[in-house]
Amino acid sequence: MNIALRIGDPLSEAPAVNREKLEEIFEDIRNHQLFDHELHGCLNCGICTATCPSAHYYDYSPREIVQLLLTENLEGIYDAMQEKIWACAQCYTCAARCPFHNSPGGLIMILRETAIKHGMQSAKDVLKPYTRVLMKVISTGNQLAPNMITPDAFADWGPNIAKVKAPLKVLRKAIPMPTMHTMDTAWEINIKTSIELYTIWEATGVLGQLETIDPNLFDVVTDLMDEKRDEYEEWLEEQEG
Ligand code: SF4
Ligand code: SF4
């Protein structure tokens, strides 16, 4: 049974969305398979917020998020989903300290998934900078390659940039695993592994979420995946032949 000792009003501004939509969003949150695992009750003690690194830097409080969910404050939940839920660093310090064994960080993940599912603008804005990363992972299986680490690309490293002036190509050759002798990717990825990853994304609904958030990127990504699958089919035929 959930226990709520509510102290103060968490949020006040009502969002511009009708009641039916708010209820639909809350239903999705409440029906998430992890919801009951992450929320058991709340003393409103504030330990989670006191230990939360993000709360030190942003207008964000895990205690507030837990209270909004526990008290079924639909307007407040929706409001928090427009910005605050993206402040969490997912460190789970809160989960380790909560006397009720709640996981505010886990609840944030549920709220984020729901924001993506409903195509909220906040989710689109937050995920936009990761387009390049996603493309790189899909096309190569890695997101960062040794040949991307150059002084020009990482000017913000300051004096530490000296460390990347090392002869990386030579150093990579010294690594015992041959799959890491490459400079174009962090390590060589077997094409079968990439195809399996695509299958997981499809089966778990990740691609469907991407389509909701960014249809153009979804089209590019699925084209790339089709190319890789064709490549894999050709490779299989070669093996059989
Ligand atoms: S630490 Fe736990 S009980 Fe205390 S405010 Fe946070 S979620 Fe509620
Ligand atoms: S998981 Fe999120 S809410 Fe919890 S302590 Fe870390 S940053 Fe704060």
Side-chain angles (χ1 to χ4, degrees):
M1 187 176 72
N2 286 336
I3 300 170
L5 300 178
R6 189 172 170 180
I7 301 170
D9 271 319
L11 291 168
S12 53
E13 218 171 287
V17 64
N18 64 39
R19 184 78 192 170
E20 202 176 307
K21 182 68 180 170
L22 291 176
E23 284 172 1
E24 187 192 328
I25 291 169
F26 184 68
E27 273 300 292
D28 283 338
I29 296 166
R30 185 70 191 80
N31 291 333
H32 192 287
Q33 57 185 349
L34 289 177
F35 187 86
D36 288 336
H37 182 265
E38 312 294 45
L39 181 61
H40 307 287
C42 181
L43 287 168
N44 223 334
C45 64
I47 291 173
C48 53
T49 297
T51 59
C52 172
S54 295
H56 287 275
Y57 296 101
Y58 302 105
D59 176 19
Y60 168 72
S61 157
R63 177 201 62 78
E64 185 180 67
I65 300 292
V66 169
Q67 281 292 308
L68 289 173
L69 291 166
L70 203 54
T71 57
E72 301 187 6
N73 181 334
L74 306 197
E75 290 83 2
I77 292 167
Y78 183 82
D79 198 20
M81 290 170 87
Q82 305 316 302
E83 186 173 344
K84 292 188 179 186
I85 59 167
W86 305 102
C88 168
Q90 289 291 288
C91 67
Y92 288 87
T93 309
C94 51
R97 299 294 169 85
C98 172
F100 256 91
H101 303 294
N102 296 325
S103 173
L107 291 167
I108 287 290
M109 278 310 292
I110 295 172
L111 291 166
R112 287 178 177 178
E113 277 183 35
T114 310
I116 291 170
K117 181 179 175 186
H118 286 266
M120 288 185 188
Q121 189 58 44
S122 68
K124 293 178 183 175
D125 292 344
V126 166
L127 296 177
K128 200 80 189 162
Y130 297 99
T131 301
R132 192 200 62 78
V133 172
L134 187 59
M135 297 294 290
K136 189 85 181 159
V137 169
I138 286 177
S139 54
T140 69
N142 298 170
Q143 68 159 296
L144 192 65
N147 62 10
M148 290 164 66
I149 305 173
T150 63
D152 285 346
F154 293 90
D156 56 323
W157 282 15
N160 287 323
I161 202 65
K163 293 175 186 167
V164 303
K165 286 187 177 165
L168 270 182
K169 201 169 180 178
V170 176
L171 293 175
R172 301 273 301 180
K173 288 283 180 199
I175 299 173
M177 289 82 76
T179 51
M180 296 189 74
H181 292 175
T182 170
M183 290 289 286
D184 296 330
T185 54
W187 58 86
E188 278 176 23
I189 298 289
N190 182 306
I191 190 165
K192 184 167 179 276
T193 305
S194 293
I195 304 300
E196 284 170 356
L197 186 62
Y198 302 162
T199 306
I200 292 169
W201 287 344
E202 281 167 349
T204 55
V206 170
L207 278 179
Q209 290 177 343
L210 179 64
E211 191 175 14
T212 308
I213 291 296
D214 191 337
N216 292 333
L217 179 60
F218 171 81
D219 287 343
V220 176
V221 159
T222 45
D223 282 351
L224 257 172
M225 286 165 56
D226 288 345
E227 277 173 31
K228 278 274 179 187
R229 282 180 162 137
D230 289 345
E231 219 178 289
Y232 182 55
E233 289 300 320
E234 280 169 26
W235 179 82
L236 279 179
E237 280 168 23
E238 275 172 26
Q239 302 305 306
E240 285 166 10

